[in-house]
Amino acid sequence: MASRPPEGEDTWPDRFPPRPGSGDGLGAWDSLVIPDDARELEPDRRAWLRELRQQRRDRWLPQGPAAQRSRTVLLFALVAGLILALSAPALLLSPQPPRGSLPLAAAAGPDAVAGGLLPDVELRTLGSQPIDARAARPAVLMLLPAGECDCHPLVLDVVARARAAGVYPWLVT
């Protein structure tokens, strides 16, 4: 803060010291140019606006390694969120196999008729212990003829459909 000059002195201290070699004592004020036309200031105005835009940009997008890492993490999170948002409806709306145990058929009824119980026989599987046919429920049993048959595509279709429904298929020959 400037104070008044002491009594008897009528000059203020110079804010700008005189330039070396200038004898007029104006200091930095002698380089001040006031244009005759405001259009001459247009390049300076454009440069000033460019600086303001750069300052705003630097405020929102700082530079440096830490800022680059945070932008990379933000981009990764954005891409992961986009993938999740696009794949979630497909995962939620796709058909799901039944969960838990499936309801068993009736515990009583006639043997070996449609809607009744399976015969009380043992099923022998390749490489494992014999299983009671009534214990293999729910299941799809495919009865194949003893001789040679051309039913390979049909068997593959039945196996694929049974597995899609969550039921174990059995081939009985």
Side-chain angles (χ1 to χ4, degrees), residues 60-149:
W60 289 103
L61 290 173
Q63 303 298 321
Q68 180 67 29
R69 270 192 305 271
S70 66
R71 279 195 299 269
T72 304
V73 168
L74 180 65
L75 180 64
F76 178 74
L78 184 67
V79 168
L82 182 65
I83 290 172
L84 180 65
L86 292 176
S87 63
L91 293 175
L92 293 175
L93 299 176
S94 63
Q96 300 290 325
R99 295 184 181 172
S101 63
L102 296 172
L104 297 176
D111 289 349
V113 295
L117 296 176
L118 292 173
D120 191 15
V121 296
E122 284 186 344
L123 300 175
R124 297 194 184 270
T125 60
L126 299 175
S128 68
Q129 301 293 329
I131 297 174
D132 183 32
R134 290 188 179 172
R137 296 182 303 170
V140 173
L141 295 177
M142 291 179 283
L143 303 173
L144 301 178
E148 187 175 326
C149 73

